Amino acid sequence: MPFATQHVLQPYWDLAVAPVQADGLAAALELGIFEVLATPHTPAQLADTLALHAPHTTLLLELLWSMQVLERDTATAEADTQRYRCTAATLQYFCRNSVAFCGDAWLYRLHALRHFATQLSTLVREGGKAAPYSTANGVNWAVAAQQQIGQEQRAVTMRAALSVMQRVAPFADANTPLRLLDLGGGPGWVAIALAQAHAGLHGCVFDWPETVAVAAANIAHAQLTDRLETVGGDLDGDDIGNGYDLIWCSSVLHFVPDMAAALRKIHAALKPGGVFVCVQAEIAPAAVDAARVLPYYLPMRMLGRTVTRQGELAQLLRDTGWRQVEQYGASDFPMAPVQVLIART
Ligand SMILES: C[S@@+](CC[C@H](N)C(=O)[O-])C[C@H]1O[C@@H](n2cnc3c(N)ncnc32)[C@H](O)[C@@H]1O
């Protein structure tokens, strides 16, 4: 039953308690609870299977049930006689044997954001750079590609990218020959998904040399080495090739020191009439929408990375010679809502 009134402090109490829920989920992931609860178990059975403290296991499962991470039998009333099992989403994303498992990525986000947040008052008082974000280089991006970005691409980004591409004219016909560049493609799963969906597509993943080594292994695993290659380099200073029909670039331009220069370079790399698809978060004008973006990007912004205001990237595209710039919002990409920009040379 919805409550008729809410105290003005309720949102702040909710903020204070959110870490308890986050740690409940973290504990369940770390203890391997979800793999066991792929089939229904009482708390006592689960505690027995994993050698856990039975009364506290009961309390944790009830918390996870209240968070809709678990379901339980409704027939019996007592929490300790209930049988708990994973919801469909928990099975898909938080069970290690699922192809879409991204529990490690979620734990990484939790720990990195929390670690950053503990440094916030010092950063505001004294400036400086927060760990662990201060050392972004090819080696660190390669680790990210192997771990959290790899899991998030497989679980979330691949599907979201395909749904964007259904709107892009030359991609919709699967047999049209297309040369693709996945710029800053990390582990390469987006290029792999696009190649699997479009028989006529071939192309390459560009990223730091250490990072494209991860993409190369994934491309080999997907048996696509005859259609996809990798090029290692620095987007800021190195050649990204040319003659592309399509350039996909998601959550990469935040990291380049001169966005306008990068957009000119991308323009020059496309064939005449080529399409640029750029997906990244922007800051919306209304507080309630901005709140879905700003906390995720505060660590990066405090490192001097750029997150544009909504509409700014579209304007920059027009200012750097792009035509037919379309933009829409999407919230099926990892973490925060993004803007999808589709532009032509
Ligand atoms: C946040 S990740 C996004 C990865 C992928 N596009 C996605 O959406 O999942 C940013 C990527 O940009 C790459 N990157 C950042 N700066 C770069 C640069 N100067 N040269 C090459 N790659 C760069 C990183 O290595 C990383 O793979």
Side-chain angles (χ1 to χ4, degrees), residues 106-187:
W106 184 84
L107 285 171
Y108 172 85
R109 301 289 174 202
L110 175 71
H111 295 313
L113 287 166
R114 189 172 282 175
H115 186 60
F116 163 77
T118 61
Q119 302 165 77
L120 195 45
S121 48
T122 309
L123 287 166
V124 172
R125 211 179 310 112
E126 298 170 13
K129 294 183 172 181
Y133 299 94
S134 45
T135 50
N137 56 32
V139 174
N140 292 345
W141 278 120
V143 173
Q146 193 78 263
Q147 297 174 358
Q148 69 272 13
I149 296 177
Q151 282 190 0
E152 285 163 356
Q153 283 197 356
R154 282 196 306 275
V156 183
T157 319
M158 284 170 87
R159 177 177 300 202
L162 284 171
S163 93
V164 169
M165 292 308 298
Q166 293 316 318
R167 305 166 72 117
V168 176
F171 190 81
D173 175 4
N175 294 315
T176 318
L178 277 184
R179 187 159 136 73
L180 163 88
L181 170 64
D182 183 358
L183 188 58

Side-chain angles (χ1 to χ4, degrees), residues 241-244 247 262-271 322 345:
N242 55 55
Y244 300 109
I247 297 182
L263 293 177
R264 282 190 213 97
K265 187 177 203 169
I266 293 165
H267 194 286
L270 280 164
K271 284 182 189 163
W322 294 84
T345 54

Side-chain angles (χ1 to χ4, degrees), residues 32 80 142 151 211 251:
D80 55 358
Q151 282 190 0
T211 313
S251 300

Side-chain angles (χ1 to χ4, degrees), residues 274-288:
V275 186
F276 177 43
V277 182
C278 182
V279 178
Q280 63 181 50
E282 292 199 296
I283 301 164
V288 64

Side-chain angles (χ1 to χ4, degrees), residues 109 136-142 144-145 148-150 152-153 157-158 182-190 205-212 231-238 240 248-257 279 297 300 305 333-335:
R109 301 289 174 202
N137 56 32
V139 174
N140 292 345
W141 278 120
Q148 69 272 13
I149 296 177
E152 285 163 356
Q153 283 197 356
T157 319
M158 284 170 87
D182 183 358
L183 188 58
W189 293 108
V190 170
V205 178
F206 182 98
D207 209 296
W208 297 106
E210 298 88 344
T211 313
V212 286
V231 177
D234 176 359
L235 157 62
D236 193 34
D238 294 334
I240 58 169
W248 172 274
C249 181
S250 61
S251 300
V252 176
L253 295 182
H254 304 297
F255 303 98
V256 300
V279 178
Y297 288 90
M300 275 174 41
R305 312 283 190 226
F333 281 81
M335 296 194 295

